[in-house]
Amino acid sequence: MITRSLGSTGLSVSALGLGCMGMSDFYGPADEAESIATIHAALDAGVTLLDTGDYYGMGHNELLLGRALRGHDREGVALSVKFGLMRAPDGAIVGLDGRPAAVKNFLAYSLRRLGTDHVDVYRLGRVDPAVPIEETVGAIAEMVEAGHVRHVGLSEAGADTIRRAHATHPIADLQIEYSLLSRGIEAEILPLCRELGVGVTAYGVLSRGLLSGHWSRDRAVAAGDFRQSAPRFTGENLDRNLALVEALRAVADAKHATVAQVAIGWVLSRGQDVVPLVGARRRERLAEALGALELELTPQDLAAIERAVPPGAAAGDRCHAPQMAALDSERGGAAAR
Ligand SMILES: NC(=O)c1ccc[n+]([C@@H]2O[C@H](COP(=O)([O-])OP(=O)(O)OC[C@H]3O[C@@H](n4cnc5c(N)ncnc54)[C@H](OP(=O)(O)O)[C@@H]3O)[C@@H](O)[C@H]2O)c1
């Protein structure tokens, strides 16, 4: 497995990470045994970056990861954990808490659920407008000092927040949506990360499955799956987006690859400082995603990919309006389309 350095704080991870969110939340029911088998298959293939959040399934995702990692070499794995979003028993997102005391409290529970004494990268899931980022990052820095955290990360932060956070404590990576359909970070955020030496962990590289080649208008979407009503997955937008997928399929076919592999390969081609996370929940999907690492994309291939899905081609925003409004990364006109 090839590795990439995330930022300049000494964090080296596999070129592809496994995001575990869908194993517990947001994408309808998942099979626990298959989820654990998928995590094990990822580790066997050399994946060293595993991403979770304490709010994914209200602790379920961390407990699952903790179980999957029992008996495995802890030092061989980088655990990236998000915190801060607060949930109600029915799953509703009811707030955000980036206060220093909350940071320590969330971390204490995460360590217990994960069955470990440290988290490799710890990050606030969404920037809390009520708490200066210096305070939140300062509290994570104290946890680094105490040995409970190794690196500080950010999630969906905008340029101003990235600068302030990095001035408080060196930031290893920014986790943010980045795909052929969501290229907003290229205007300001990605160049800033490069200037500061902050790595990028890209999520949604398959645009939540839309860009995987496995999505169709007929696909049954379970209750509790956010794609039931997400802007890009509904109405005319869906038809327009699926037409882009078909254009990409022609490029993939010519490369004897799948649509998902070409979409992941394109993100991998963005630079050595970008590490895509894939949201595979089954071994079969993981195997397909890992195939992207074998794919060689020439400049001609990359041009063909961008002709099939030009910048700004996506129909619809990447999430619902209230969630878009809560994204620090979307302030200042940097619409991450
Ligand atoms: N920082 C943040 O704010 C944030 C937000 C969201 C996610 N994340 C992290 O990023 C990870 C990935 O995000 P995501 O799940 O939304 O993105 P994604 O990888 O774009 O989409 C995953 C979806 O694509 C489908 N898919 C189809 N073919 C696939 C293949 N070959 N490999 C992988 N998935 C395939 C998946 O499962 P099926 O088709 O099999 O159902 C799933 O429904 C999450 O697990 C989470 O750790 C972070």
Side-chain angles (χ1 to χ4, degrees), residues 39-245:
I39 295 167
H40 287 164
L43 296 173
D44 290 346
V47 171
T48 62
L49 175 64
L50 299 177
D51 183 70
T52 182
D54 62 9
Y55 47 85
Y56 291 165
M58 290 80 90
H60 177 270
N61 206 235
E62 290 182 324
L63 289 167
L64 186 84
L65 258 180
R67 266 173 57 206
L69 291 175
R70 220 170 282 153
H72 282 261
D73 169 26
R74 174 68 186 86
E75 287 304 318
V77 177
L79 286 178
S80 154
V81 181
K82 293 180 289 299
F83 68 92
L85 261 72
M86 295 188 292
R87 313 281 301 264
D90 66 357
I93 293 170
V94 292
L96 191 59
D97 198 344
R99 291 171 306 148
V103 171
K104 294 169 190 173
N105 172 73
F106 284 132
L107 178 62
Y109 282 74
S110 285
L111 292 174
R112 215 20 111 79
R113 282 188 292 253
L114 288 163
T116 183
D117 62 354
H118 72 278
V119 159
D120 296 276
V121 197
Y122 201 48
R123 68 184 88 241
L124 183 62
R126 291 285 177 272
V127 177
D128 183 348
V131 180
I133 196 67
E134 291 81 356
E135 291 185 18
T136 307
V137 166
I140 305 177
E142 276 182 49
M143 297 294 93
V144 172
E145 197 62 32
H148 303 306
V149 170
R150 298 252 164 104
H151 302 270
V152 183
L154 293 170
S155 171
E156 286 291 352
D160 181 50
T161 305
I162 297 168
R163 276 190 198 283
R164 288 166 49 202
H166 192 67
T168 307
H169 187 279
I171 300 297
D173 72 320
L174 168 71
Q175 195 172 105
I176 195 158
E177 186 160 355
Y178 188 30
S179 72
L180 278 164
L181 292 182
S182 297
R183 298 184 59 169
I185 73 166
E186 291 172 356
E188 187 183 11
I189 292 175
L190 186 55
L192 175 64
C193 286
R194 288 185 167 150
E195 177 195 321
L196 299 177
V198 171
V200 168
T201 307
Y203 78 81
V205 296
L206 298 178
S207 197
R208 317 304 192 96
L210 179 58
L211 205 48
S212 67
H214 301 295
W215 201 269
S216 71
R217 182 161 271 295
D218 310 325
R219 174 159 164 156
V221 185
D225 187 325
F226 101 112
R227 296 169 297 191
Q228 217 171 22
S229 57
R232 289 183 180 169
F233 286 84
T234 46
E236 258 180 48
N237 285 350
L238 179 60
D239 294 328
R240 285 172 54 195
N241 292 329
L242 287 176
L244 298 172
V245 175

